[in-house]
Amino acid sequence: MDLSALGRVWVTGWARSRGVPPAVEDRFGLRLAVGAPEQRVRHVLPVTDEASVRALAGSIEEPAIWIKAFLDPELIGSWLPTGWVRDIPGWMMTTRLRPARATAPDGFGWSSATDDGVTRVRLLADDGTLAAAGQCVVTGPHVVMDRIQTQPAYRRRGLGRLVMGALGDAALDRGAHTGVLSATVEGRALYRTLDWAEVAPLAGFVHRPPRAG
């Protein structure tokens, strides 16, 4: 699958996972009406160039509008005018799913549910405290992983690996065979140990124009 198609898979799954309306295609790429105060709209550009990025940025006046593109952040940053702030580094990653048959370690238990196509897995300590969690959306042969997190008090115990395994098993059971996700620096380190491979950088910028006066 080429990067443009992979990007569209990711956007489809991300929108469903976050409970926002499906993306709308425009002349720049894909537009998501996120509706959050810190992210009103997200533009995802699966394939783009300097002229398109400059035209899109030039058409935006409101704050809290995001641009995401599968390009080196330094490159896309050089095309943007004043008022655009770079997000933390990211990468698009994929893997071929394999059965993990993840089991909860002693002192922990699973909570799992699927609602409106979103499967949520939670790993709970015996006292009910949330230790780790994640969610995923199956879209055809692909599964988009999202919001993988381990609470600070429970890190470095391999719980993130278990959550990823449980989500992968759930996706395999629903017919998916390829995983897709966007990773931060910290997440990338975990996913590499699970045989996920980077396919492209994921640059993110948010419009925060200087205040008048």
Side-chain angles (χ1 to χ4, degrees):
M1 176 177 286
D2 64 29
L3 186 57
S4 176
L6 191 66
R8 283 169 166 75
V9 167
W10 174 63
V11 169
T12 298
W14 187 92
R16 173 64 67 86
S17 177
R18 301 299 175 101
V20 304
V24 175
E25 190 123 15
D26 62 22
R27 67 190 182 97
F28 299 109
L30 300 170
R31 184 180 188 275
L32 288 156
V34 180
E38 72 282 359
Q39 185 172 186
R40 296 167 58 194
V41 172
R42 171 184 285 205
H43 293 273
V44 181
L45 316 180
V47 175
T48 192
D49 54 27
E50 180 177 357
S52 296
V53 170
R54 289 187 182 276
L56 173 58
S59 71
I60 294 170
E61 297 181 356
E62 302 86 355
I65 309 298
W66 286 72
I67 293 176
K68 294 271 188 175
F70 303 111
L71 294 168
D72 184 282
E74 296 292 339
L75 178 62
I76 191 171
S78 70
W79 299 341
L80 294 172
T82 301
W84 288 88
V85 179
R86 180 176 168 178
D87 190 24
I88 59 175
W91 292 268
M92 182 62 58
M93 303 183 76
T94 64
T95 194
R96 182 79 177 184
L97 298 177
R98 299 178 182 83
R101 306 302 176 222
T103 58
D106 290 345
F108 295 89
W110 291 112
S111 169
S112 179
T114 300
D115 181 46
D116 195 25
V118 183
T119 297
R120 295 177 174 87
V121 167
R122 292 155 53 90
L123 190 58
L124 306 173
D126 279 346
D127 64 0
T129 302
L130 178 66
Q135 57 197 59
C136 70
V137 172
V138 172
T139 171
H142 299 86
V143 59
V144 178
M145 307 289 194
D146 190 30
R147 287 182 165 166
I148 312 302
Q149 57 180 315
T150 302
Q151 297 302 311
Y154 295 94
R155 289 176 183 167
R156 302 188 183 281
R157 303 190 193 183
L159 303 187
R161 174 185 291 267
L162 292 176
V163 167
M164 289 292 290
L167 290 171
D169 287 343
L172 282 166
D173 289 343
R174 296 181 60 191
H177 57 66
T178 301
V180 181
L181 59 74
S182 63
T184 61
V185 172
E186 184 178 58
R188 180 176 64 159
L190 166 64
Y191 306 138
R192 279 175 166 175
T193 69
L194 300 175
D195 295 326
W196 287 71
E198 300 149 35
V199 295
L202 180 57
F205 287 82
V206 57
H207 192 222
R208 292 180 184 154
R211 294 182 180 179

